[in-house]
Amino acid sequence: MVFEYVLKKNDIRPSDVNIDQSIDFGSTAAAFSGGKGAYTVEFEPSATALEQEGAGYVVSSVGVESGYVPYTAFSAKQSYLDSHKDLIQAFTNALQKGMDYVTTHRRRNRCRD
């Protein structure tokens, strides 16, 4: 999704690019170095490993291009949401409490070099 967002941000329609999402997340670097695709989107250390192996080059950073993106997502079926409304609300409240804590304590407790 983030890659598609970056494509759109750069006036490229994702439908104009052949994005193979059938490869297991942990196998994309190996698939690329094995000849699958012209480009790959990799997290570190896989991107650097591809360069060190001479199998590819880092040409851009999806993270830099996308800006801040919340990374984790939680999913549930509509039937579960409908039958566990109190639990879902408590879970949502707990997540918000954690995010509020991080926001209010982030600057105070930064590591110093």
Side-chain angles (χ1 to χ4, degrees):
M1 289 183 342
V2 175
F3 180 57
E4 290 184 13
Y5 167 76
V6 170
L7 290 173
K8 291 175 187 176
K9 182 178 166 187
N10 288 281
D11 298 321
I12 300 170
R13 295 184 313 186
S15 60
D16 289 342
V17 181
N18 182 15
I19 302 172
D20 185 350
Q21 297 180 352
S22 69
I23 303 169
D24 176 69
F25 177 75
S27 302
T28 56
F32 176 75
S33 63
K36 179 77 173 166
Y39 295 90
T40 183
V41 177
E42 299 296 332
F43 285 100
E44 289 296 351
S46 297
T48 298
L50 285 171
E51 277 194 331
Q52 290 173 343
E53 295 166 7
Y57 300 95
V58 175
V59 296
S60 186
S61 169
V62 174
V64 170
E65 289 294 319
S66 67
Y68 176 75
V69 176
Y71 188 76
T72 302
F74 300 95
S75 301
K77 293 182 178 181
Q78 187 63 51
S79 59
Y80 188 88
L81 296 173
D82 292 341
S83 61
H84 296 90
K85 290 180 182 178
D86 291 341
L87 178 63
I88 295 299
Q89 188 61 60
F91 180 73
T92 302
N93 292 349
L95 287 174
Q96 186 63 55
K97 185 176 179 181
M99 291 189 300
D100 291 345
Y101 179 86
V102 169
T103 299
T104 59
H105 291 76
R106 169 180 7 213
R107 290 191 179 109
R108 258 185 262 158
N109 296 325
R110 277 208 172 126
C111 295
R112 298 175 197 259
D113 294 326

